[in-house]
Amino acid sequence: MAESESKVFKPRPKHLLPIVLGLFATGVLAYPISIVTPPQAQVTPFDVNSVSGASLNALVFVFALAASATVMFLLIRRGRMRFIRRLVKVALTVVSFAVAFWYSTSILASVVDLSTDLWTIVSLILAVGIAAAIGFTIFAKGQTHQLAGVTALGALTGVFLGYSIGPVTALVLVGALVVYDIVAVFRGPVGALAKAVEAGDLPGAMYTYGELTIGMGDLVFYSLVATTAMVFYGPLSFLGAALGILAGSYLGFRALSRFEMFPGLPFSLLLGVAGMLLVAIATRTLVL
């Protein structure tokens, strides 16, 4: 996260609105998935249920994040901002369609036979419609429309990833993301990228709310933790995770008031996981 202006950032509860809406959307989307339990999508190259496999999966995720941020920064330095905007639009369109198609087929498969041509076409139409709506709102003018788009896409993507990678990989990935975000913001490509762009330069990749700029990746990973809590440990653990993420986000905002930039993941993810696990242990959905 970063300030969109050079003036001192003063955190207010209103700055939590994008995160509150993202977590609300995550709960609405993840609860049906926790009931129908569709087959998990294969999104990781290694075993998601072993610590060794989860560690390798986390390295793959972190490497992909670092490589994409580095490439974007180098292209921006070469004056290829227009190309980057087009690339972001294409990437978000593809991701929107993929997660929308996965979600619609997962829900429909619980009530209809998707092997028929009719319902396959219905699933495709739903996915195209959802992706088009997300794309329209994200790239529309006005913060309200953009807020709706980034909330929907962040929640959908987080639900897809959180359900698909399972709790072991999710927990290991959180640890890797915390370390990566600190290094990448203060010494790496994310911080350099944030300094190279202005607020509103990369709609979809970054969302500006008032004087605060939040990366789309932050919203996705908040949703991933919340989805892990809902699907694998229950609604009460989801509530614990959500409260932890909000508390951590506000702590991050307070830290941001002293820095030009501050990583958005460490406090939020660590407190979110802590809230999830504490509630899971207390309700005996997780036994240590």
Side-chain angles (χ1 to χ4, degrees), residues 104-110 112-117 119-120 123:
S104 61
T105 53
S106 297
I107 299 301
L108 285 175
S110 66
V112 298
D113 182 8
L114 288 183
S115 64
T116 62
D117 292 339
W119 287 110
T120 299
S123 297

Side-chain angles (χ1 to χ4, degrees), residues 202-285:
L202 294 174
M206 299 177 179
Y207 173 69
T208 300
Y209 180 68
E211 64 273 33
L212 178 70
T213 298
I214 304 175
M216 171 66 80
D218 291 2
L219 299 178
V220 170
F221 293 125
Y222 299 158
S223 178
L224 183 152
V225 170
T227 297
T228 301
M230 173 70 82
V231 172
F232 299 102
Y233 304 116
L236 290 179
S237 287
F238 168 82
L239 181 60
L243 292 175
I245 289 168
L246 290 173
S249 297
Y250 190 72
L251 286 176
F253 294 165
R254 294 294 299 269
L256 182 61
S257 65
R258 300 185 178 185
F259 299 90
E260 182 182 0
M261 294 177 293
F262 195 82
L265 297 181
F267 289 147
S268 301
L269 295 191
L270 291 176
L271 290 183
V273 168
M276 173 185 74
L277 295 180
L278 287 174
V279 173
I281 293 170
T283 57
R284 297 187 178 180
T285 54

Side-chain angles (χ1 to χ4, degrees), residues 100-147:
F101 184 70
W102 171 82
Y103 191 86
S104 61
T105 53
S106 297
I107 299 301
L108 285 175
S110 66
V111 293
V112 298
D113 182 8
L114 288 183
S115 64
T116 62
D117 292 339
L118 173 62
W119 287 110
T120 299
I121 293 173
V122 170
S123 297
L124 286 171
I125 292 174
L126 281 174
V128 170
I130 293 170
I134 290 174
F136 174 79
T137 52
I138 286 179
F139 300 111
K141 293 182 179 180
Q143 285 190 349
T144 301
H145 290 91
Q146 292 176 357
L147 178 59

Side-chain angles (χ1 to χ4, degrees), residues 92 95-97 99 134 138 148-158 204 216 220:
L92 289 183
V95 170
S96 298
F97 173 78
V99 296
I134 290 174
I138 286 179
V150 297
T151 295
L153 181 56
L156 263 176
T157 307
M216 171 66 80
V220 170

Side-chain angles (χ1 to χ4, degrees), residues 12-189:
R12 298 286 186 271
K14 68 176 184 178
H15 293 121
L16 292 171
L17 179 61
I19 302 171
V20 170
L21 293 178
L23 291 172
F24 176 78
T26 298
V28 170
L29 293 169
Y31 183 70
I33 292 296
S34 70
I35 295 175
V36 303
T37 59
Q40 291 176 305
Q42 184 65 41
V43 297
T44 54
F46 303 101
D47 180 17
V48 299
N49 296 314
S50 68
V51 175
S52 59
S55 300
L56 292 172
N57 289 328
L59 286 176
V60 171
F61 271 100
V62 168
F63 177 80
L65 290 172
S68 60
T70 301
V71 170
M72 289 179 67
F73 173 66
L74 293 176
L75 287 173
I76 288 174
R77 287 192 63 181
R78 291 175 175 269
R80 305 296 298 276
M81 180 63 76
R82 182 176 298 181
F83 173 76
I84 289 293
R85 291 195 187 104
R86 291 175 180 172
L87 189 63
V88 168
K89 286 184 178 181
V90 171
L92 289 183
T93 300
V94 172
V95 170
S96 298
F97 173 78
V99 296
F101 184 70
W102 171 82
Y103 191 86
S104 61
T105 53
S106 297
I107 299 301
L108 285 175
S110 66
V111 293
V112 298
D113 182 8
L114 288 183
S115 64
T116 62
D117 292 339
L118 173 62
W119 287 110
T120 299
I121 293 173
V122 170
S123 297
L124 286 171
I125 292 174
L126 281 174
V128 170
I130 293 170
I134 290 174
F136 174 79
T137 52
I138 286 179
F139 300 111
K141 293 182 179 180
Q143 285 190 349
T144 301
H145 290 91
Q146 292 176 357
L147 178 59
V150 297
T151 295
L153 181 56
L156 263 176
T157 307
V159 170
F160 169 73
L161 289 176
Y163 182 76
S164 299
I165 67 176
V168 177
T169 292
L171 291 175
V172 174
L173 178 60
V174 164
L177 288 172
V178 167
V179 175
Y180 164 75
D181 203 34
I182 293 172
V183 174
V185 168
F186 289 126
R187 298 291 182 182

